[in-house]
Amino acid sequence: MSTHLSRRTLLGLAGAGAGAYLLSACGGDDKSSDPNAPQTINWWHIQNTEPMLPVWAALANEYKTAHSNVTIDIQPLENEAFKAKLTTATQAGDPPDLFQSWGGGVLKQQVDAGLVKDITDDVKPWIGGLLPAAMEPYTIDGKIYGVPFDIGMVGFWYNKDLFARAGITATPTTWAGVLEAVGKLKAAGITPVALAGKDKWPAHFYWSYLAMRIGGVGALQKAVDDKNFDSPELVAAGERLKELIDLQPFQKGFLGAAYGTPDGQAATMGNGGAAMELMGQWAPAVQASSSTSKKGIGDKLGFFPFPTVDGGKGATTEVFGGGNGFAIGKDAPAATVDFLKFLLSADNQRKSAQTGAVLPTVKDAASAIPDANGKLVAQTLAAYTGFQLYLDQAYAPALGSQINDSVAELVAGNKPPAQIVKDITQVAKTV
């Protein structure tokens, strides 16, 4: 919750169903190492709407045309459906050949279970062309187990017209400023914040960023290292988030709202129904694809980094985010790594970047970022002094899930800040 990805790029993309798109009629599925043998690559990804859905399909067709012995069977899946299906597949010891990954603790668990390939030697000739920061979540114990195609950060996306209507003349630079802006928006009859309460992961962005701004990026690392999230800084993060919650800033029905559905968080922003959302670099594309017009709010959309907290140790150059990438299943055919290399070529990364849905990881493709907001995100990320991967991907799955659940309980008013860190700590001690 994101991916950015996605979360999360392109976490939670909605729209087209999860049907399989078979891009070749030829049969044969030889898992041998012979690159000329008939091979089928089962590819699961979460870019299941415009604009990336057709881009991936076209690239798969292009590769298949150049490699007549290769079949590519694509399954585009909505984010939550993908995670559920992948869990079932990995528990059965049968991961897909090429599949969405955000790296971090989830990938490490897959590595420890022997479910993914070590591709260090395979990618060595070309991996140097990628941004080093993008590779960190996919490098475990010095070995590479995945390759990112997108990298970015979470920040506030806002509707410039709604800010102006509420008399907000500058974007907030402090948490107190965010709360003040919420008050002005409410006074103007505008819904301040869109939130997908049902999906949980979007809310964890708030608590995670506040923890970083109060305790510095090291506070979260210390918590996981010590297996103790019950610290003054992390309690304070919940208290600051509760300040926002108490203002009742979210759209009507937010607790039942998903991220990418027609009545969800992204659509609320894309249809001009709220002034802000805290989301990753994929937000403009998902707002557009989820909106009634399929265009979103266009140049009315702006971006600003998560602000500082008065008295906190964290700076705005400490960023929270990640990207989207792919891991390769343990039994993937020989052509899978070559297909991944093809997807990550500079030309193909430019095609992805030009959609506005991807911030490329290949250095030579950065010039293809089409819009000012995307360039601003890339520039902010390039100047980072600290980086934290989404917690529900950075940590072991059980711990990441508990953080999402606990923050959701705080947002719903079911548990106070001091209790959620105790619940998270209880799980941290078991992983």
Side-chain angles (χ1 to χ4, degrees), residues 2-74:
S2 13
T3 71
H4 284 303
L5 93 218
S6 18
R7 207 184 119 320
R8 269 171 162 350
T9 184
L10 303 165
L11 281 184
L13 292 183
Y21 291 73
L22 188 61
L23 296 182
S24 173
C26 61
D29 186 4
D30 187 348
K31 299 286 186 179
S32 76
S33 59
D34 179 3
N36 297 314
Q39 300 170 61
T40 297
I41 299 172
N42 293 307
W43 181 20
W44 295 7
H45 68 69
I46 64 167
Q47 287 71 47
N48 67 318
T49 64
E50 297 277 356
M52 282 303 296
L53 178 65
V55 173
W56 284 150
L59 291 178
N61 270 323
E62 184 179 340
Y63 186 86
K64 182 263 175 186
T65 299
H67 302 80
S68 59
N69 64 314
V70 177
T71 298
I72 303 176
D73 184 0
I74 309 181

Side-chain angles (χ1 to χ4, degrees), residues 17 29 34 49 53-54 60 62 89 121 126 158 178 197 206 208-209 211 244 263 317 319 332 345-346 365 418 430:
D29 186 4
D34 179 3
T49 64
L53 178 65
E62 184 179 340
D121 293 336
W126 52 274
Y158 73 103
V178 170
Y206 287 89
S208 304
Y209 246 136
L244 176 66
D263 60 350
T317 51
V319 300
S345 71
T430 68

Side-chain angles (χ1 to χ4, degrees), residues 166 180-192 246-250:
E180 182 181 351
V182 166
K184 289 182 177 179
L185 289 161
K186 290 197 71 172
I190 298 166
T191 298
D246 288 347
L247 294 177
Q248 299 183 345
F250 309 121

Side-chain angles (χ1 to χ4, degrees), residues 180-324:
E180 182 181 351
V182 166
K184 289 182 177 179
L185 289 161
K186 290 197 71 172
I190 298 166
T191 298
V193 182
L195 181 66
K198 180 181 178 181
D199 281 347
K200 298 182 181 179
W201 58 264
H204 111 280
F205 290 169
Y206 287 89
W207 184 81
S208 304
Y209 246 136
L210 285 164
M212 290 172 59
R213 293 294 184 260
I214 293 168
V217 70
L220 290 168
Q221 187 60 52
K222 185 176 189 302
V224 74
D225 289 346
D226 295 348
K227 296 183 180 294
N228 178 27
F229 285 73
D230 191 0
S231 67
E233 293 86 357
L234 301 191
V235 172
E239 290 171 346
R240 298 289 79 75
L241 176 52
K242 192 171 184 302
E243 292 174 346
L244 176 66
I245 296 164
D246 288 347
L247 294 177
Q248 299 183 345
F250 309 121
Q251 81 276 20
K252 184 178 179 180
F254 76 94
L255 288 175
Y259 172 57
T261 55
D263 60 350
Q265 175 176 332
T268 300
M269 283 295 298
N271 291 326
M276 289 184 282
E277 69 166 340
L278 183 63
M279 192 47 60
Q281 66 274 15
W282 57 89
V286 190
Q287 288 176 15
S289 65
S290 303
S291 67
T292 303
S293 68
K294 301 303 177 186
K295 296 180 180 179
I297 61 173
D299 59 8
K300 296 176 184 178
L301 187 66
F303 174 86
F304 62 93
F306 197 95
T308 58
V309 173
D310 291 340
K313 300 175 183 176
T316 54
T317 51
E318 294 178 346
V319 300
F320 179 79
N324 295 270

Side-chain angles (χ1 to χ4, degrees), residues 22 136 138 141 156 164 201 219 225 248 285 289 297 325 352 374 377 387:
L22 188 61
E136 289 184 16
Y138 301 87
D141 297 329
F156 276 106
W201 58 264
D225 289 346
Q248 299 183 345
S289 65
I297 61 173
S352 298
V377 173
F387 186 85

